[in-house]
Amino acid sequence: MEKVDLIEQALNLTSFGMGFVFLFLTLLVFVTKLMSIIIRKIKITGHVEEQETQHNNNKSLYDELDEETKFVIEQAIKMHRGA
Amino acid sequence: MEKVDLIEQALNLTSFGMGFVFLFLTLLVFVTKLMSIIIRKIKITGHVEEQETQHNNNKSLYDELDEETKFVIEQAIKMHRGA
Amino acid sequence: MEKVDLIEQALNLTSFGMGFVFLFLTLLVFVTKLMSIIIRKIKITGHVEEQETQHNNNKSLYDELDEETKFVIEQAIKMHRGA
Amino acid sequence: MEQLNTLWVNTGLYQISPGQALMLLVGMLLLYLAIVKNFEPLLLLPIGFGAILANIPGAGIAEGNGILHIFYVVGIESGAFPLIIFMGVGALTDFGPLLANPKTLLLGAAAQFGIFATLLGAIGLTAVGVFDFSLTDAAAIGIIGGADGPTSIYVASKLAPDLLGAIAVASYSYMALVPLIQPPIMRALTTEKERQIEMVQLREVSAREKIIFPIMLLVLVALLLPDAAPLLGMFAFGNLMKESGVVDRLSDTTQNALINIVTIFLGLAVGSKLMADKFLQIDTLGILLLGMVAFAIGTACGLIMAKIMNIFSKHKINPLIGSAGVSAVPMAARVSNKVGLESNPHNFLLMHAMGPNVAGVIGSAIAAGIMIQFLG
Amino acid sequence: MEQLNTLWVNTGLYQISPGQALMLLVGMLLLYLAIVKNFEPLLLLPIGFGAILANIPGAGIAEGNGILHIFYVVGIESGAFPLIIFMGVGALTDFGPLLANPKTLLLGAAAQFGIFATLLGAIGLTAVGVFDFSLTDAAAIGIIGGADGPTSIYVASKLAPDLLGAIAVASYSYMALVPLIQPPIMRALTTEKERQIEMVQLREVSAREKIIFPIMLLVLVALLLPDAAPLLGMFAFGNLMKESGVVDRLSDTTQNALINIVTIFLGLAVGSKLMADKFLQIDTLGILLLGMVAFAIGTACGLIMAKIMNIFSKHKINPLIGSAGVSAVPMAARVSNKVGLESNPHNFLLMHAMGPNVAGVIGSAIAAGIMIQFLG
Amino acid sequence: MEQLNTLWVNTGLYQISPGQALMLLVGMLLLYLAIVKNFEPLLLLPIGFGAILANIPGAGIAEGNGILHIFYVVGIESGAFPLIIFMGVGALTDFGPLLANPKTLLLGAAAQFGIFATLLGAIGLTAVGVFDFSLTDAAAIGIIGGADGPTSIYVASKLAPDLLGAIAVASYSYMALVPLIQPPIMRALTTEKERQIEMVQLREVSAREKIIFPIMLLVLVALLLPDAAPLLGMFAFGNLMKESGVVDRLSDTTQNALINIVTIFLGLAVGSKLMADKFLQIDTLGILLLGMVAFAIGTACGLIMAKIMNIFSKHKINPLIGSAGVSAVPMAARVSNKVGLESNPHNFLLMHAMGPNVAGVIGSAIAAGIMIQFLG
Ligand code: NA
Ligand code: NA
Ligand code: NA
């Protein structure tokens, strides 16, 4: 009785388990494909737009900072290392 | 009543807090300046003395050890790596 | 009385301790020498045998894998980095 | 069928609450800010990811024996992580510019008024009934104005652990926003002529001065404000390891492997405090608003202090370096430099601004010590 | 004389049990496999050494306040070590090949049948009275077939801590034996013509896809199987640190110092579970046998799945990459490549096999989540 | 006014005891020795800084929930830190010179008499009423003579935790003083002719011998003195990681990031034991005196043993390498080399002295095991 129960539970777990593994990974296949398609679409349509905003967005502020201060930092460090 | 008390406590904390921050950092300004002055004085007067003691003090014992054994260690390591 | 006991214990610990330290390290001397002798013997007698088995043993399977796939991995990585 | 049902009632889809769904989006917003907008990614990426993990319905990762809760208890409740980070920050800090011009310490003092103004604001808004903050809550919120992540986390873990998630997020977010928040205030409070002031070249600082400074700082803290000693002690220790030059291997590891490892787990642990039921409260909105105000006031006070000092001193200070007193090292100093260059393209303020910048770290730790002493 | 006697009765020679003597030899066998045979030395060397330390008679290193027992409680009982290792594995994983060919995820799914077949086998052998495994034991043993060390250790620590030593040893040993176990099965189940199939070149994968994938994976796990979230969450976190490109210093430390440190202590702690009285049982033999079977079945199912997919798809898959679905990254993928080269010397399957290879990691973690949900 | 008073009574200035003031100076003395005199800075800098932090009046950093007390409980009370350091030392040790000339192990044995002589001295001084040491105290003090920091800390944490601070400070200080303590003794106990003895070139040692030696050492320890197994086990493990050549990434991390991280926290935690009320006792003076004696006796016994061995052996040993038997790796070996060069400028004893030097590490660990077995 108990053994039969144990075997039944194991079979249940196996069928649900393998079923779920396949369900999950199949879903992941579709979601991944969808994601790749969307990203590649955005990339093409968004290409021009991206270039335009590149000089107005937030990141460029940092970039600007970077470029401008890079030279200063290097010089300052040089000066300071000498100290 | 309670609210008034709370505000009073906050005002107290603010006045003592800002006061202490300024007290501490002002003190730090003076102590730092003093430290710098002392160190620069010691540096000038202690310059000759330092050079004289350089060969008698403890550190030089290590230096001596270093110089003498540096060559040996290198050789030994070379020999040993070959092994 | 108690002090005498304490001293006796300390003397006991010393004699057993130093005895054991010497026993252990002497044993280690002999075991180490034995180990070195055995290894050097194996090395000489096992030299030819080793060369023969080199292409049949497990490690060589890995080596083979390594050699064969090394080129592919490098190429693949190059290709992939480009991506 | 029964097992299919078990499977279904255990899914996140079945169990998810609207709050958790919202927090998953908040977590992703933090990841977006970190990865795309480059906002303090070293902290906001782990915090954002931790927030997502903490709000997975039914997983319990941030509760009980969940791994993020373990990280929180071991690392933050004990105080260890923020203190180790502070040691690492110390090992990365160069006090040279500060030692060359010690009076810039006062700029770092003035900028701490942002902390106390925010405390007053929080209590004021509680008094008029908008929020409901206790004095300890208000103090922990105020420290956001110190613009030091580890100090904020340390104080919040002592005084207001329930608010820790919101405080840490506000702290790091606003540190990242320094290049947006500060420039308008800086331009508004200074004249073109002031912004053009050129400062005298900083003198060379000897290795001895750099070695003695952290010890001296520690002694002063020990004698005057022991409650700031854990924070400033670990900070000074890190700096001494670096400057002493005799334990380079320890200093290198502190600046790299150690601070990186602790940063990862600190971030995840902070993220675990962004669980929906704790974070989605009106208080959080208050913290975000007050934190922003704290930054603005701190920036303004630093600038004003520089102008006041110029009245009494013959060596004029460019007031733009005053805003760097809020710390947010090294971003605030770089902002000072950038705004300065706009007015005078040959005026490099970066090294001058590093003085008040690191002074701000000390100032905030002192303010933190005061809070802990009076309320802890 | 009394003290000489004390010394003698405290020696290992006096106290040693036959089981301990045998386990010392087992520990040395593991060291031999690691050092001479090069079997997963990063884990088997610390595990082997830990096993020796754990079986030193009278030292109690793996009990009570012994250092290995402390490592075990702190690192494995808490779940921290396997999860941190999984984070490191994530930071070392490249999902590129998988993203270029997502349907290879199904190969990673099929190979998990090794896990469940072994579960059934363990229960079947218990039913006929050969062994005496509970359902939780059987589940933990089955996960060996997932060919992922940290997943095996994590599940065993939750479901069957008494069997953890044997399960970890079996898991890493068979991962090392992949080049011996898989090729005969691969040759038996495929035709020469199938083995010669050349696959189309993988497309380029953009950085954005690589950044979004771990987040997407985490969200899917969060919504469908929260019990797999700790494992796959840390895995995705490690991968996001690497792919985001904004926290390179954290990613580098995770891939090096952090994963190395944790590997050392994980190995020693696992070794502490190889104490004679727990390990020297008939169950251990069962675990070793069943683990081997799990690998073989997983390999076969991966191959068969590839052949089934070829019936429905116009882009043919070389079935040899199916065996890589058991994971054992990157050894199984290299075996696919090697066996492929035997039939077609111009057919490099390595990158194609990396897809199912990392899919197998995800698949095993999902299977682990199912086990924990139903039995944990 | 009330708050001003609160502020004042909470300052360190108000609360400081004379003992704490003195200990702050002791902490600074240790920093001075570390930074300026270069005395074992890797340990004495963190210990000195820890001592300062521990004696900040009112801060409680080394008590209760203070961070240094947490480091102490987690790392030293558990035994983890000294054992991990010992693993790192193992990974940094080259047994080659010892394997080439195994009989130098006996020099490492003889030098341990310093340990036991000190034990006797401590008990003797207790008997005549100068100090008040128990047998466990005396044993822990004696281990200072082993000239191994982690062994001293490990034994003290087991046998005399109250004396740990003084013992650790004495241990590392005297290790640093080896170049001052040893040469006079070496010159006094040897003749010019003995000091000129040239030793035969060491033979090449194969990789196999180096791999098998740590395993053999562990087995011998396991069979004869299990209480030394934690120390020598971790030591052998570190060495095996290095010599096996198959886990280089683990070995590299052990030798760098891991040992550095643990050294920092070990040092701070040891420093926490230098609190005024525990450290400023007449016992501490006794420990410092006895520790110095231990070093001197150990040095002498090593030299004498070499002279005795020369009576029975045809391959003469230069007795100067005997003093290296106290360990203090690699300083003592370098001192042997230096003193040898004074008598014979073409006689490089360094590699010959590395044998007894590492033998001294093993010898001290064996002596430590004996102490723990009889008194633990
Ligand atoms: Na600040
Ligand atoms: Na797998
Ligand atoms: Na020694």
Side-chain angles (χ1 to χ4, degrees):
Chain A
M1 173 69 194
E2 206 190 47
K3 280 180 187 173
V4 173
D5 203 46
L6 195 67
I7 291 175
E8 200 193 300
Q9 281 185 23
L11 283 169
N12 257 332
L13 187 52
T14 298
S15 54
F16 283 103
M18 272 315 286
F20 191 85
V21 167
F22 264 107
L23 174 74
F24 187 92
L25 290 175
T26 307
L27 205 61
L28 192 57
V29 171
F30 287 112
V31 177
T32 303
K33 282 190 172 172
L34 193 70
M35 185 260 297
S36 290
I37 290 167
I38 292 171
I39 283 180
R40 275 184 287 178
K41 277 237 175 95
I42 289 172
K43 220 175 178 176
I44 295 161
T45 63
H47 212 62
V48 187
E49 204 184 309
E50 201 174 288
Q51 283 188 318
E52 279 171 11
T53 54
Q54 211 171 352
H55 288 280
N56 306 320
N57 72 1
N58 210 25
K59 215 174 173 181
S60 70
L61 178 69
Y62 285 89
D63 291 344
E64 236 178 281
L65 265 175
D66 279 342
E67 281 155 37
E68 286 177 24
T69 51
K70 205 175 177 182
F71 162 78
V72 199
I73 293 174
E74 276 165 9
Q75 275 222 330
I77 287 170
K78 243 181 241 167
M79 197 190 82
H80 220 76
R81 283 270 158 78
Chain B
M1 174 68 192
E2 207 190 46
K3 280 179 186 174
V4 173
D5 203 47
L6 194 67
I7 292 175
E8 202 193 300
Q9 281 184 25
L11 283 168
N12 256 333
L13 186 52
T14 299
S15 54
F16 282 104
M18 272 316 284
F20 191 86
V21 167
F22 264 106
L23 175 74
F24 187 91
L25 290 174
T26 307
L27 204 62
L28 191 58
V29 171
F30 288 112
V31 176
T32 304
K33 282 189 173 173
L34 193 70
M35 185 260 298
S36 290
I37 291 165
I38 292 170
I39 283 179
R40 276 183 287 178
K41 278 237 174 94
I42 289 172
K43 218 175 179 176
I44 295 160
T45 62
H47 212 64
V48 187
E49 201 183 312
E50 200 176 291
Q51 283 189 317
E52 278 171 11
T53 55
Q54 209 171 354
H55 289 280
N56 306 320
N57 71 3
N58 211 25
K59 212 173 173 182
S60 70
L61 178 69
Y62 286 90
D63 292 344
E64 236 178 280
L65 263 175
D66 279 343
E67 282 155 36
E68 286 177 22
T69 52
K70 203 175 180 184
F71 162 79
V72 199
I73 292 174
E74 277 165 7
Q75 276 223 327
I77 286 170
K78 241 182 243 166
M79 197 189 82
H80 221 74
R81 283 271 157 77
Chain C
M1 173 68 195
E2 207 190 46
K3 280 179 187 174
V4 173
D5 203 47
L6 194 66
I7 293 175
E8 201 192 300
Q9 282 184 21
L11 283 169
N12 256 332
L13 186 52
T14 299
S15 54
F16 282 103
M18 273 315 284
F20 191 85
V21 168
F22 265 107
L23 174 75
F24 187 91
L25 290 174
T26 308
L27 204 61
L28 192 56
V29 172
F30 288 112
V31 177
T32 304
K33 282 190 174 173
L34 193 70
M35 185 261 295
S36 290
I37 291 166
I38 292 171
I39 283 180
R40 276 184 287 178
K41 277 237 175 95
I42 289 172
K43 218 175 179 176
I44 295 160
T45 62
H47 211 63
V48 186
E49 203 184 309
E50 201 175 289
Q51 284 187 316
E52 279 171 10
T53 55
Q54 211 171 352
H55 289 282
N56 306 320
N57 72 2
N58 210 25
K59 214 174 172 181
S60 70
L61 178 69
Y62 286 89
D63 292 345
E64 236 179 281
L65 264 176
D66 280 343
E67 282 155 36
E68 286 177 22
T69 53
K70 206 177 177 182
F71 162 78
V72 198
I73 292 174
E74 276 165 7
Q75 275 221 330
I77 286 170
K78 240 182 244 168
M79 196 190 83
H80 219 74
R81 283 269 158 78
Chain D
M1 266 324 288
E2 200 194 324
Q3 295 208 328
L4 248 181
N5 194 49
T6 306
L7 203 60
W8 166 241
V9 301
N10 278 305
T11 61
L13 272 173
Y14 179 88
Q15 298 179 72
I16 201 164
S17 69
Q20 288 173 321
L22 186 55
M23 287 311 296
L24 291 180
L25 292 177
V26 169
M28 278 184 236
L29 174 67
L30 292 175
L31 293 183
Y32 172 81
L33 293 175
I35 297 171
V36 180
K37 293 292 175 189
N38 223 11
F39 278 17
E40 297 279 336
L42 293 174
L43 262 300
L44 288 191
L45 192 143
I47 292 177
F49 211 95
I52 295 176
L53 290 177
N55 287 286
I56 293 178
I61 300 178
E63 302 164 296
N65 288 322
I67 194 73
L68 292 196
H69 190 243
I70 291 175
F71 291 162
Y72 180 81
V73 171
V74 169
I76 296 189
E77 218 166 84
S78 72
F81 285 173
L83 291 176
I84 294 170
I85 296 275
F86 228 55
M87 177 172 82
V89 172
L92 287 161
T93 295
D94 179 6
F95 281 120
L98 184 69
L99 289 167
N101 195 5
K103 72 180 173 191
T104 56
L105 278 164
L106 298 178
L107 300 172
Q112 307 315 317
F113 189 64
I115 292 177
F116 292 99
T118 307
L119 167 87
L120 288 177
I123 294 299
L125 289 172
T126 297
V128 300
V130 180
F131 297 116
D132 183 26
F133 292 122
S134 68
L135 200 56
T136 50
D137 291 348
I141 295 167
I143 295 288
I144 297 173
D148 270 302
T151 305
S152 293
I153 292 170
Y154 184 77
V155 173
S157 74
K158 300 272 175 212
L159 299 184
D162 279 350
L163 306 180
L164 191 142
I167 287 173
V169 167
S171 194
Y172 283 104
S173 299
Y174 294 142
M175 282 163 69
L177 286 173
V178 152
L180 293 180
I181 299 173
Q182 290 197 324
I185 302 170
M186 294 162 78
R187 292 190 198 104
L189 290 180
T190 53
T191 64
E192 178 68 19
K193 210 179 138 191
E194 284 173 333
R195 291 198 290 274
Q196 290 178 343
I197 294 175
E198 291 193 15
M199 295 178 66
V200 288
Q201 171 96 32
L202 292 174
R203 72 169 175 88
E204 287 184 16
V205 174
S206 69
R208 284 186 191 192
E209 290 171 88
K210 288 189 178 181
I211 292 172
I212 291 171
F213 182 76
I215 300 172
M216 213 181 65
L217 172 63
L218 177 66
V219 172
L220 219 57
V221 169
L223 295 182
L224 297 181
L225 187 64
D227 286 297
L231 273 174
L232 282 173
M234 293 302 275
F235 185 65
F237 177 55
N239 192 250
L240 183 63
M241 283 200 285
K242 175 192 166 217
E243 299 295 355
S244 69
V246 293
V247 290
D248 286 345
R249 57 181 294 165
L250 301 188
S251 170
D252 287 347
T253 295
T254 304
Q255 292 174 35
N256 293 291
L258 181 54
I259 198 173
N260 291 342
I261 290 171
V262 176
T263 298
I264 292 169
F265 294 114
L266 176 80
L268 290 174
V270 166
S272 80
K273 282 299 205 182
L274 269 64
M275 284 176 72
D277 51 342
K278 304 263 168 172
F279 191 80
L280 290 177
Q281 300 192 338
I282 189 72
D283 287 358
T284 299
L285 208 67
I287 290 168
L288 292 173
L289 282 174
L290 288 164
M292 175 72 87
V293 172
F295 260 69
I297 294 177
T299 301
C301 289
L303 293 163
I304 292 165
M305 184 70 194
K307 294 172 76 160
I308 294 172
M309 284 168 69
N310 277 349
I311 300 173
F312 300 101
S313 170
K314 63 173 191 278
H315 291 296
K316 296 298 177 213
I317 290 172
N318 187 319
L320 290 176
I321 71 169
S323 61
V326 296
S327 40
V329 184
M331 195 58 86
R334 291 168 66 186
V335 169
S336 296
N337 187 61
K338 182 184 180 309
V339 178
L341 286 172
E342 290 171 1
S343 297
N344 178 348
H346 301 294
N347 195 9
F348 296 108
L349 294 172
L350 190 79
M351 290 317 287
H352 297 286
M354 288 306 293
N357 214 189
V358 299
V361 178
I362 299 173
S364 301
I366 295 294
I370 295 273
M371 301 298 197
I372 291 169
Q373 188 189 293
F374 276 87
L375 307 170
Chain E
M1 268 321 290
E2 198 194 326
Q3 295 208 326
L4 248 180
N5 194 49
T6 306
L7 203 60
W8 167 241
V9 300
N10 278 306
T11 59
L13 272 173
Y14 179 87
Q15 297 178 75
I16 200 163
S17 68
Q20 288 173 321
L22 185 55
M23 287 311 295
L24 291 179
L25 293 178
V26 169
M28 278 184 236
L29 173 67
L30 292 174
L31 294 183
Y32 171 81
L33 292 175
I35 298 171
V36 180
K37 293 292 175 189
N38 222 12
F39 279 18
E40 296 278 337
L42 293 174
L43 262 298
L44 288 190
L45 193 143
I47 292 177
F49 212 95
I52 295 176
L53 290 176
N55 287 286
I56 293 178
I61 300 178
E63 301 165 298
N65 289 321
I67 192 74
L68 291 196
H69 189 244
I70 292 175
F71 291 162
Y72 180 80
V73 171
V74 169
I76 296 190
E77 219 166 83
S78 72
F81 286 173
L83 290 177
I84 295 170
I85 296 275
F86 227 56
M87 177 172 82
V89 171
L92 288 162
T93 295
D94 179 8
F95 280 120
L98 184 69
L99 289 167
N101 196 4
K103 73 181 173 189
T104 56
L105 278 163
L106 298 179
L107 301 173
Q112 307 316 317
F113 189 65
I115 292 178
F116 292 99
T118 308
L119 166 87
L120 289 176
I123 292 302
L125 290 171
T126 297
V128 300
V130 180
F131 297 116
D132 184 26
F133 293 122
S134 68
L135 199 58
T136 50
D137 291 348
I141 295 166
I143 297 288
I144 298 172
D148 270 300
T151 304
S152 292
I153 293 170
Y154 184 77
V155 173
S157 74
K158 300 273 174 211
L159 299 183
D162 279 351
L163 306 180
L164 191 143
I167 287 173
V169 166
S171 194
Y172 284 104
S173 300
Y174 294 142
M175 281 163 70
L177 285 172
V178 152
L180 293 180
I181 298 173
Q182 289 197 324
I185 301 170
M186 293 162 79
R187 291 189 199 104
L189 290 179
T190 51
T191 64
E192 177 68 20
K193 209 178 139 191
E194 283 172 335
R195 290 198 291 274
Q196 290 177 344
I197 294 175
E198 291 193 16
M199 293 178 67
V200 288
Q201 170 95 32
L202 291 174
R203 72 168 175 90
E204 285 184 15
V205 173
S206 69
R208 285 187 189 191
E209 289 171 87
K210 287 188 178 179
I211 292 171
I212 290 172
F213 182 75
I215 301 173
M216 212 181 64
L217 173 62
L218 177 67
V219 171
L220 219 55
V221 169
L223 295 182
L224 296 182
L225 188 64
D227 286 296
L231 273 174
L232 281 173
M234 293 302 275
F235 185 66
F237 177 54
N239 191 249
L240 184 63
M241 283 201 284
K242 175 191 166 220
E243 298 296 356
S244 70
V246 293
V247 291
D248 285 346
R249 58 181 295 165
L250 303 186
S251 170
D252 287 347
T253 295
T254 304
Q255 292 174 34
N256 292 291
L258 181 54
I259 199 173
N260 291 343
I261 290 171
V262 176
T263 298
I264 292 169
F265 294 114
L266 175 80
L268 290 174
V270 166
S272 80
K273 282 300 204 180
L274 270 63
M275 287 177 70
D277 51 343
K278 305 261 169 172
F279 190 82
L280 291 176
Q281 300 191 338
I282 188 71
D283 287 357
T284 299
L285 209 67
I287 290 167
L288 293 173
L289 282 174
L290 288 164
M292 175 71 88
V293 171
F295 261 68
I297 294 177
T299 301
C301 289
L303 294 164
I304 292 165
M305 184 70 195
K307 294 171 75 160
I308 293 171
M309 284 168 71
N310 277 348
I311 299 173
F312 300 102
S313 170
K314 64 173 191 278
H315 291 296
K316 296 297 176 213
I317 291 171
N318 187 318
L320 291 176
I321 71 169
S323 61
V326 297
S327 41
V329 185
M331 194 59 86
R334 290 168 66 185
V335 169
S336 295
N337 187 61
K338 183 184 178 309
V339 177
L341 286 172
E342 290 170 2
S343 297
N344 178 349
H346 301 293
N347 195 9
F348 296 108
L349 294 172
L350 191 78
M351 289 317 287
H352 296 286
M354 288 305 293
N357 214 187
V358 299
V361 178
I362 299 173
S364 301
I366 294 293
I370 295 272
M371 301 297 198
I372 292 170
Q373 188 189 294
F374 276 87
L375 308 170
Chain F
M1 269 322 288
E2 199 194 324
Q3 295 208 327
L4 248 180
N5 193 49
T6 306
L7 203 59
W8 166 241
V9 301
N10 277 306
T11 60
L13 272 173
Y14 179 87
Q15 296 179 75
I16 201 163
S17 70
Q20 288 173 322
L22 186 54
M23 287 311 295
L24 290 179
L25 293 177
V26 169
M28 278 184 237
L29 174 66
L30 292 175
L31 293 183
Y32 172 81
L33 293 175
I35 297 171
V36 180
K37 292 293 175 189
N38 221 11
F39 277 19
E40 296 279 337
L42 293 175
L43 262 299
L44 287 190
L45 192 143
I47 292 176
F49 212 96
I52 295 177
L53 290 176
N55 287 286
I56 293 178
I61 300 178
E63 300 164 298
N65 288 321
I67 193 73
L68 292 196
H69 190 244
I70 291 175
F71 291 161
Y72 180 80
V73 171
V74 169
I76 297 189
E77 218 165 84
S78 72
F81 285 173
L83 291 177
I84 295 171
I85 296 276
F86 228 55
M87 177 172 81
V89 172
L92 288 161
T93 294
D94 179 7
F95 281 120
L98 184 69
L99 289 168
N101 196 4
K103 72 181 175 191
T104 56
L105 278 163
L106 298 178
L107 300 173
Q112 307 315 317
F113 190 65
I115 291 177
F116 292 99
T118 308
L119 166 88
L120 289 176
I123 292 300
L125 290 172
T126 297
V128 301
V130 180
F131 297 116
D132 184 27
F133 293 122
S134 68
L135 199 56
T136 51
D137 292 347
I141 295 166
I143 296 289
I144 298 172
D148 271 300
T151 304
S152 293
I153 292 170
Y154 184 77
V155 172
S157 73
K158 300 271 173 212
L159 299 183
D162 280 350
L163 305 180
L164 190 143
I167 287 173
V169 167
S171 194
Y172 283 104
S173 300
Y174 294 142
M175 280 162 69
L177 285 172
V178 151
L180 293 181
I181 298 173
Q182 289 198 324
I185 302 169
M186 292 161 79
R187 291 189 199 104
L189 290 180
T190 52
T191 65
E192 178 69 18
K193 210 178 138 193
E194 283 172 334
R195 291 197 289 274
Q196 291 176 343
I197 294 174
E198 292 193 14
M199 293 177 66
V200 289
Q201 170 96 32
L202 290 174
R203 72 168 175 89
E204 287 183 15
V205 174
S206 68
R208 285 186 189 192
E209 289 171 87
K210 288 188 178 181
I211 292 172
I212 291 172
F213 182 74
I215 301 172
M216 212 181 65
L217 173 63
L218 176 66
V219 171
L220 219 57
V221 169
L223 295 182
L224 296 180
L225 189 64
D227 286 296
L231 273 174
L232 283 173
M234 292 303 275
F235 185 65
F237 177 55
N239 191 249
L240 184 63
M241 282 202 285
K242 175 191 165 219
E243 300 296 356
S244 69
V246 292
V247 291
D248 287 345
R249 58 180 294 165
L250 302 186
S251 170
D252 288 347
T253 294
T254 304
Q255 292 174 36
N256 292 291
L258 181 54
I259 199 173
N260 291 343
I261 290 171
V262 175
T263 298
I264 291 169
F265 294 113
L266 176 81
L268 290 174
V270 166
S272 80
K273 282 299 205 181
L274 268 65
M275 286 177 69
D277 51 343
K278 305 261 166 172
F279 191 81
L280 291 177
Q281 299 193 338
I282 188 72
D283 287 358
T284 299
L285 209 67
I287 290 168
L288 292 173
L289 283 174
L290 289 164
M292 176 72 88
V293 171
F295 261 69
I297 295 177
T299 302
C301 289
L303 295 163
I304 292 164
M305 184 69 194
K307 295 171 75 159
I308 294 171
M309 283 167 70
N310 277 348
I311 300 172
F312 301 101
S313 170
K314 61 173 194 279
H315 291 295
K316 296 298 178 212
I317 290 172
N318 187 317
L320 291 177
I321 71 169
S323 60
V326 296
S327 40
V329 184
M331 195 58 87
R334 290 168 64 185
V335 169
S336 295
N337 187 62
K338 182 185 180 308
V339 177
L341 286 172
E342 291 171 2
S343 297
N344 179 348
H346 301 293
N347 196 8
F348 297 108
L349 295 171
L350 189 78
M351 289 317 287
H352 297 286
M354 288 306 293
N357 213 188
V358 299
V361 178
I362 298 173
S364 301
I366 295 294
I370 295 272
M371 301 297 197
I372 291 169
Q373 188 189 294
F374 276 87
L375 308 170

